[in-house]
Amino acid sequence: MKKLLLLSCAFVIATSCGTTSKNNATTSHSETTKITDPTIYASTITAEELKTMLYKYASDEFEGRDTGEKGQKMAVEYLKQKYITMDIPTPLGDDDYFQEVPLEKQKVAEAKVVVNGKSFESFKNQIVLAIPNDVDITLNSIVYVGYGIDDENYSDYKNIDVKGKFIIAKAGEPKDADGNYITSGNTEETKWTNGRQSLSSKREAAKANGAIGLLYMDNNLFPRYAGFYQSQFSAGTAGRLSLKNNDNGITMMMINETLAKALNPTISEDTTPKEIDTTINLEIKNKTESIMSENVVAFIKGSEKPNEIIVISAHLDHEGIKNGEIYNGADDDGSGTVAILEIAQAFKTAEKAGHGPKRSILFLHVTGEEKGLLGSRYYADVAPVFPLENTVANLNIDMIGRVDPERTEGTRNYIYLIGSDKLSTDLHQISEEANSKYTQIELDYKFNDDNDPNRFYYRSDHYNFAKNNIPVIFYFNGTHADYHKPSDTPDKIEYDLLETRTKLVFYTAWEVANRNDRVVVDKKVSE
């Protein structure tokens, strides 16, 4: 990467007006900061360098960067060497740029379930979704928790103790007399209503309330899951990756109405939580393979407010190899990955010129995004390198190298912004002003709508920060015909747009890092 010439020029420009001769006093630090022009450092971000790096990073050599596989290991080593070359240190000490993320790959398990002497078959009546340990237990009761919702406006756990117990819940969310969902007070679906997000939310609610097992009735999802899980079981292939539970997990099964009614005959119409006396014999063998993956972290320490951290993130993984074809993931998310490298170079150039950011910058490349936001979830929920209360904002970059073919209005020089105003009015205004001042990109908030059916706000790594009340911006160009296909290759990237969008992220980060006051959180976490 270019360094010396630009660094010299930047130093001359940034300091020539800020100092007098050796015989006179030097201007104050605040005066020097005031005249600093970030366009000097943004000029180190170029389409040429982005292209060179992306052709390497999204090449067949990296085998699609599947989490935990050879190509992903090559990818993290590539990133590490880039930071070493740029002389940007790691916050982990020595040359350890890797935050290890323990994962497990679980093969589909077959369960033996007997309720009051009657057996219920795997894949016909029940499916094992998650199991942290072997289960061989006889239960004399199970706790019914209605919809399994635990929200500030409504909770099925309010008057019942589920600690150390198996529970049963059903899909869906109740409505009030006016037809509004009870947690939101309007007709728009929430994270509790339906589908996979509902399943995940109810699992987390059960876990948070101390349950050790959840049997979840979902008649809509069950037929779809049953066929897939049975085929995986028959083939003996591994299931999806998950964070290693370390005994903190919960056994979770999806069940159909037949099994659910054997446990609670009135489950379809009944929503009252209660403990049900019944005899359940449950036997499941845990079939997991431990896998270690890595987040890559690099760090520039703030000059004035080092304990306040801005996290700039992108995911380093992709889909790997399927049916002999390599999924290169040039846009998703090679584009975000190389963008961070260029942004890091720009900040390092500023630091070497004596104008490092006031606040610290963490460059975070997360693993396992394609497997369920695993790397960012590990960082935010399990082992943050810096305390989350010290994290000012997260700028997350996921696909910024292409044009959305469905976008029929406006210019090609656009970017979709998601989440910028959901937690912080400050951050939204900083973003708008940085763009107006420096890049003049058309900012499109189409997918920022709370009612966006794509729910992109919940589908990339920024969400694991947002759910912890950390203001976020998600930079996104939209999907296209090559999304999650082997045809997402570097030759299809529009490098002039990638350069401009990368500069926008840099300028926004620059403003957040160097303003006097920390970004204010003035809104609650969006559900």
Side-chain angles (χ1 to χ4, degrees):
M1 293 185 179
K2 66 181 92 64
K3 287 185 183 179
L4 296 178
L5 179 59
L6 285 167
L7 175 59
S8 300
C9 293
F11 184 79
V12 169
I13 294 170
T15 60
S16 60
C17 297
T19 60
T20 59
S21 69
K22 292 182 179 179
N23 297 323
N24 294 321
T26 305
T27 59
S28 69
H29 177 78
S30 61
E31 289 171 334
T32 303
T33 302
K34 185 177 180 180
I35 65 169
T36 303
D37 180 2
T39 61
I40 299 165
Y41 313 116
S43 68
T44 67
I45 299 169
T46 68
E48 292 78 12
E49 286 191 352
L50 290 161
K51 183 175 183 178
T52 298
M53 289 189 293
L54 191 52
Y55 264 83
K56 176 72 172 180
Y57 193 76
S59 67
D60 287 355
E61 178 185 356
F62 286 71
E63 298 182 354
R65 309 186 302 278
D66 194 7
T67 302
E69 301 297 330
K70 174 187 172 184
Q72 182 255 302
K73 304 298 183 184
M74 295 175 67
V76 298
E77 188 62 35
Y78 174 86
L79 296 172
K80 172 184 175 179
Q81 293 305 319
K82 285 294 183 183
Y83 285 114
I84 290 174
T85 300
M86 288 189 285
D87 195 27
I88 299 177
T90 167
L92 302 178
D94 299 323
D95 284 336
D96 185 8
Y97 287 81
F98 300 156
Q99 180 189 41
E100 293 187 332
V101 180
L103 304 172
E104 57 186 15
K105 185 178 287 187
Q106 188 174 76
K107 290 187 176 180
V108 175
E110 187 175 28
K112 295 180 180 179
V113 179
V114 180
V115 179
N116 298 322
K118 182 178 180 180
S119 296
F120 293 87
E121 299 177 38
S122 287
F123 314 118
K124 180 179 179 181
N125 305 117
Q126 42 85 6
I127 310 162
V128 180
L129 300 183
I131 172 174
N133 301 292
D134 287 351
V135 174
D136 189 354
I137 192 172
T138 297
L139 305 171
N140 294 315
S141 66
I142 191 168
V143 180
Y144 177 55
V145 291
Y147 292 98
I149 294 171
D150 191 13
D151 189 83
E152 64 180 356
N153 298 324
Y154 171 89
S155 178
D156 289 304
Y157 293 90
K158 187 175 182 180
N159 297 312
I160 195 132
D161 180 16
V162 302
K163 290 180 181 178
K165 300 177 181 179
F166 272 72
I167 65 175
I168 178 173
K170 61 182 178 181
E173 177 182 355
K175 295 181 178 181
D176 62 22
D178 297 321
N180 297 313
Y181 285 109
I182 203 158
T183 62
S184 64
N186 58 50
T187 58
E188 302 301 330
E189 293 188 354
T190 76
K191 69 177 184 178
W192 304 106
T193 309
N194 289 302
R196 288 183 294 178
Q197 189 182 19
S198 173
L199 186 152
S200 175
S201 299
K202 294 180 181 184
R203 178 194 65 219
E204 292 304 310
K207 183 177 173 181
N209 281 278
I212 60 172
L214 169 61
L215 278 60
Y216 182 69
M217 184 188 80
D218 190 326
N219 285 326
N220 290 324
L221 284 184
F222 188 88
R224 292 164 50 192
Y225 274 56
F228 175 77
Y229 273 70
Q230 186 166 26
S231 65
Q232 293 281 300
F233 177 79
S234 299
T237 54
R240 66 178 299 174
L241 282 174
S242 61
L243 291 180
K244 195 171 182 66
N245 285 309
N246 294 322
D247 297 326
N248 293 320
I250 182 171
T251 298
M252 184 167 185
M253 302 177 68
M254 185 181 292
I255 62 176
N256 68 359
E257 190 174 24
T258 301
L259 174 51
K261 285 188 172 181
L263 295 167
N264 179 8
T266 61
I267 190 170
S268 297
E269 59 273 10
D270 183 14
T271 60
T272 304
K274 58 189 173 184
E275 189 155 1
I276 300 171
D277 292 331
T278 188
T279 301
I280 307 169
N281 301 105
L282 186 59
E283 183 180 344
I284 315 171
K285 291 293 184 181
N286 182 25
K287 300 178 180 180
T288 62
E289 173 189 355
S290 294
I291 292 175
M292 189 63 71
S293 191
E294 301 84 18
N295 293 332
V296 178
V297 290
F299 182 68
I300 292 179
K301 186 175 182 178
S303 60
E304 295 183 18
K305 302 175 185 289
N307 293 327
E308 295 185 15
I309 316 296
I310 294 125
V311 177
I312 305 177
S313 62
H315 71 89
L316 60 89
D317 62 306
H318 195 55
E319 295 280 329
I321 301 174
K322 299 179 181 179
N323 300 318
E325 292 189 284
I326 298 174
Y327 287 61
N328 299 106
D331 193 25
D332 184 16
D333 186 28
S335 61
T337 300
V338 298
I340 288 187
L341 292 174
E342 285 287 86
I343 292 166
Q345 175 187 240
F347 273 111
K348 187 64 180 180
T349 303
E351 183 187 55
K352 287 189 173 183
H355 296 98
K358 291 181 181 180
R359 292 177 177 83
S360 297
I361 311 289
L362 180 69
F363 305 102
L364 175 63
H365 301 262
V366 292
T367 189
E369 190 270 354
E370 302 290 0
K371 310 300 183 183
L373 315 183
L374 300 181
S376 58
R377 181 145 60 93
Y378 183 79
Y379 182 96
D381 294 353
V382 180
V385 174
F386 298 100
L388 293 187
E389 59 265 26
N390 292 4
T391 305
V392 174
N394 169 231
L395 307 182
N396 182 53
I397 315 168
D398 193 351
M399 300 174 60
I400 61 166
R402 297 280 295 270
V403 171
D404 180 358
E406 299 297 321
R407 188 175 186 272
T408 57
E409 297 181 0
T411 71
R412 66 185 287 274
N413 185 30
Y414 77 97
I415 190 72
Y416 293 125
L417 294 191
I418 302 172
S420 64
D421 63 348
K422 291 190 183 296
L423 293 170
S424 173
T425 303
D426 267 355
L427 183 59
H428 182 71
Q429 290 176 343
I430 291 167
S431 169
E432 288 272 343
E433 290 168 5
N435 179 60
S436 177
K437 185 175 181 180
Y438 297 112
T439 48
Q440 293 86 49
I441 297 174
E442 184 177 338
L443 304 181
D444 192 329
Y445 296 97
K446 172 183 177 180
F447 296 121
N448 191 55
D449 191 321
D450 288 339
N451 301 323
D452 168 33
N454 300 285
R455 296 180 70 78
F456 286 127
Y457 179 63
Y458 304 93
R459 290 172 51 183
S460 191
D461 295 295
H462 62 280
Y463 181 66
N464 284 317
F465 291 91
K467 72 183 185 183
N468 285 291
N469 275 309
I470 295 169
V472 302
I473 302 177
F474 171 22
Y475 299 87
F476 179 52
N477 54 220
T479 58
H480 42 72
D482 303 306
Y483 175 64
H484 281 191
K485 292 183 179 178
S487 50
D488 181 8
T489 50
D491 56 296
K492 296 178 180 177
I493 298 296
E494 303 196 34
Y495 289 95
D496 60 331
L497 296 180
L498 179 54
E499 175 188 315
T500 306
R501 293 162 176 173
T502 302
K503 286 179 176 178
L504 172 62
V505 182
F506 167 74
Y507 285 126
T508 305
W510 178 274
E511 297 295 332
V512 174
N514 290 302
R515 72 199 304 257
N516 290 328
D517 298 323
R518 176 173 172 161
V519 167
V520 174
V521 179
D522 58 354
K523 302 178 183 181
K524 62 175 286 187
V525 170
S526 174
E527 298 294 348

